[in-house]
Amino acid sequence: MSIEFLQVAEEEGEEPIELPVEDDGTLLLSTLQAQFPGTCGLKYRNPESRAIRGVRLNEGRLNPPVPESGWGSQVYFCVFPKGAVSSIVENKRKSDDHLENSTAKTKRMETRLRCTDLIVLGLPWKTTEQSLREYFETFGEVLMAQVKKDLKSGQSKGFGFIRFGSYEAQMRVLAQRHLIDNRWCEVKVPNSKEGMIQQVPCKVFVGRCSEDLTADDLREYFSKFGEVTDVFIPKPFRAFSFVTFLDPEVAQSLCGEDHIIKGVSVRVSNAAPKSEQNRNPNYSSGPPSHHQRGSVPPDPRNPINRQENISYPQNRGYMPNPPIQHNNGWNSQNRGNLDMPNLQALGINPQGQNPSNQGQNINNPLGVGLNINALPMNPALVAAALNQWSLIGNLQNQNQEQGFGGSGGPNAQPGSSQGGNFLSWMSQGGGGGGDGQQVNNQFQGGNQPWSRQQGNTGQPGPDHKQNFL
DNA sequence: GTTGAGCGTT
């Protein structure tokens, strides 16, 4: 006997896949979902009425429209779960937002592949699911919004979950903090969903920068390739910078290229992950892996961030790049290694190639037998650069004592322009964020989740683990 | 009736 197949496409116009029908003539939902993860049903266009018809689903089995005549030769389309919100939100969106022009298919793909529930921490007690949803709808279609409450009292527990329909929306939301019902909240990938997020870095290293290249210059230039969510230029001048894109693919596409900005030839390469050694030893619980992309400072171009006097808690990590914790080996395997910003900044790659470092160990530039005199550069300059990154001197001690993970980027060391340590670097403003945002520590005590962590003169306590999330 | 780091009753 022959097995019957029916043709299923993700949506109308897409190339169908043939799926095997069971002996009883039904299609198992599991069979469908094996090919179209996230699908919850099937539909088809009625050739007579031209209307879309749904396919009966009963106990995990999809039934042919007319049982006696089987599925026929028509193409069926997947049904994906969708929230109640749609058209209103769509219409509200900025028309100039090119990222929202993604096709339905792209959206599906993203939903299927990468969207995940996000946890919203620090919600005001008064925030309801309604207000939570309304807030996040400004970023995109919200498929789910919930506030966790005490079952008995109904009182909010101060956190909740949201899910977006598009990955862009999710990325935007993860890339900033959120003022919800007049309280700053943070959105993260829940611990339970770790590993479900794409871990392609959005940040690129831009070497050979000249001192007169401003963050605005870089932003303006690189924006033509895709939305730039952050630009970080270390202070004092270190001849490199970091540019973070919303889209990791844009970032990756630029790596290995030379670009001329304001007459300066800069080199774009992968932003090497920070090493564990320069991280906060207390911060080891394997937080969400999305922070490569997620922890960029709020984008000032986002209306939400245009409020007057917006500021960020000094110790909370709204510096160029809060520490990145990966569970994909980016950092976890790099313990004991040093980063290599110094060499990259000088246009030197000790590995002799573009440091494509995703998931790879980054060799310690010192560990590969760095010989300053052998470098194709003024040794004094190299030495000065090394010194800037604290690669000469008491680096070990600093790293052990500072107990901080924050830095100027995946491979920027906090360094010490004054011969100090990271804390002194922090107290100078910590880099202040790539957009020149002020870090004026305006938060008042008690009202913010992070307020108690203000004051950065002492050793970070154990609970500084939260500082940079 | 209070609170403020966390990780989702179903």
Side-chain angles (χ1 to χ4, degrees), chain A residues 171-187:
Chain A
M171 282 198 291
R172 288 177 191 282
V173 164
L174 285 169
Q176 63 176 71
R177 292 179 308 138
H178 301 273
L179 192 58
I180 304 173
D181 291 334
N182 216 25
R183 190 172 200 277
W184 285 108
C185 304
E186 60 179 343
V187 176

Side-chain angles (χ1 to χ4, degrees), chain A residues 171-245:
Chain A
M171 282 198 291
R172 288 177 191 282
V173 164
L174 285 169
Q176 63 176 71
R177 292 179 308 138
H178 301 273
L179 192 58
I180 304 173
D181 291 334
N182 216 25
R183 190 172 200 277
W184 285 108
C185 304
E186 60 179 343
V187 176
K188 307 193 299 186
V189 173
N191 294 158
S192 57
K193 296 293 174 67
E194 275 185 55
M196 295 189 63
I197 291 292
Q198 185 189 23
Q199 293 171 12
V200 178
C202 299
K203 188 191 320 259
V204 296
F205 176 90
V206 183
R208 295 201 307 260
C209 290
S210 67
E211 199 155 8
D212 65 334
L213 271 184
T214 67
D216 283 343
D217 292 334
L218 294 171
R219 179 184 286 277
E220 182 183 349
Y221 176 81
F222 284 109
S223 288
K224 68 185 182 189
F225 301 103
E227 181 169 339
V228 174
T229 57
D230 185 45
V231 175
F232 172 63
I233 299 178
K235 300 285 187 303
F237 174 64
R238 288 189 237 176
F240 70 86
S241 54
F242 291 102
V243 175
T244 307
F245 293 92

Side-chain angles (χ1 to χ4, degrees), chain A residues 132-312:
Chain A
L132 185 69
R133 174 181 286 271
E134 284 172 3
Y135 169 80
F136 283 109
E137 276 175 352
T138 62
F139 293 87
E141 182 184 19
V142 175
L143 302 181
M144 178 273 290
Q146 53 184 215
V147 172
K148 290 302 166 190
K149 308 185 194 83
D150 181 82
L151 264 59
K152 283 160 69 175
S153 67
Q155 172 66 255
S156 164
K157 290 181 175 176
F159 70 97
F161 292 87
I162 51 167
R163 190 178 183 108
F164 285 96
S166 81
Y167 193 61
E168 283 93 352
Q170 175 167 309
M171 282 198 291
R172 288 177 191 282
V173 164
L174 285 169
Q176 63 176 71
R177 292 179 308 138
H178 301 273
L179 192 58
I180 304 173
D181 291 334
N182 216 25
R183 190 172 200 277
W184 285 108
C185 304
E186 60 179 343
V187 176
K188 307 193 299 186
V189 173
N191 294 158
S192 57
K193 296 293 174 67
E194 275 185 55
M196 295 189 63
I197 291 292
Q198 185 189 23
Q199 293 171 12
V200 178
C202 299
K203 188 191 320 259
V204 296
F205 176 90
V206 183
R208 295 201 307 260
C209 290
S210 67
E211 199 155 8
D212 65 334
L213 271 184
T214 67
D216 283 343
D217 292 334
L218 294 171
R219 179 184 286 277
E220 182 183 349
Y221 176 81
F222 284 109
S223 288
K224 68 185 182 189
F225 301 103
E227 181 169 339
V228 174
T229 57
D230 185 45
V231 175
F232 172 63
I233 299 178
K235 300 285 187 303
F237 174 64
R238 288 189 237 176
F240 70 86
S241 54
F242 291 102
V243 175
T244 307
F245 293 92
L246 187 63
D247 186 346
E249 290 184 18
V250 172
Q252 292 313 298
S253 71
L254 293 171
C255 287
E257 295 181 355
D258 291 314
H259 290 259
I260 297 176
I261 310 172
K262 280 176 53 178
V264 180
S265 171
V266 302
R267 172 80 179 180
V268 181
S269 58
N270 292 87
K274 268 187 57 58
S275 70
E276 282 286 339
Q277 197 172 47
N278 300 305
R279 295 175 174 286
N280 181 358
N282 297 318
Y283 185 68
S284 58
S285 62
S289 53
H290 67 271
H291 285 285
Q292 169 71 13
R293 83 165 76 258
S295 295
V296 299
D299 184 346
R301 291 166 304 150
N302 187 319
I304 288 170
N305 297 317
R306 285 206 197 101
Q307 306 157 51
E308 293 296 317
N309 286 328
I310 188 168
S311 62
Y312 311 107

Side-chain angles (χ1 to χ4, degrees), chain A residues 428-449:
Chain A
Q428 298 168 30
D435 297 304
Q437 295 153 343
Q438 292 183 335
V439 182
N440 56 9
N441 199 8
Q442 199 176 326
F443 286 90
Q444 301 302 308
N447 193 34
Q448 302 301 331

Side-chain angles (χ1 to χ4, degrees), chain A residues 284-445:
Chain A
S284 58
S285 62
S289 53
H290 67 271
H291 285 285
Q292 169 71 13
R293 83 165 76 258
S295 295
V296 299
D299 184 346
R301 291 166 304 150
N302 187 319
I304 288 170
N305 297 317
R306 285 206 197 101
Q307 306 157 51
E308 293 296 317
N309 286 328
I310 188 168
S311 62
Y312 311 107
Q314 201 162 18
N315 264 359
R316 215 207 140 239
Y318 279 93
M319 300 176 310
N321 293 288
I324 300 152
Q325 290 281 322
H326 293 277
N327 57 0
N328 62 350
W330 253 55
N331 298 299
S332 58
Q333 298 170 16
N334 288 336
R335 188 175 295 279
N337 286 345
L338 296 172
D339 296 326
M340 42 201 298
N342 47 346
L343 302 181
Q344 282 192 334
L346 298 170
I348 300 165
N349 185 340
Q351 293 174 310
Q353 60 185 8
N354 192 36
S356 173
N357 50 38
Q358 291 178 45
Q360 299 174 14
N361 286 345
I362 302 305
N363 290 334
N364 178 346
L366 301 180
V368 297
L370 176 64
N371 178 354
I372 289 180
N373 291 320
L375 294 170
M377 186 153 284
N378 182 342
L381 179 57
V382 176
L386 292 177
N387 186 48
Q388 280 221 315
W389 278 291
S390 304
L391 291 175
I392 291 175
N394 62 341
L395 177 63
Q396 295 298 324
N397 288 338
Q398 278 189 24
N399 285 333
Q400 285 164 9
E401 290 171 6
Q402 60 203 28
F404 259 84
S407 90
N411 54 10
Q413 295 308 306
S416 68
S417 56
Q418 306 168 338
N421 58 17
F422 178 62
L423 292 178
S424 69
W425 181 82
M426 284 282 292
S427 62
Q428 298 168 30
D435 297 304
Q437 295 153 343
Q438 292 183 335
V439 182
N440 56 9
N441 199 8
Q442 199 176 326
F443 286 90
Q444 301 302 308

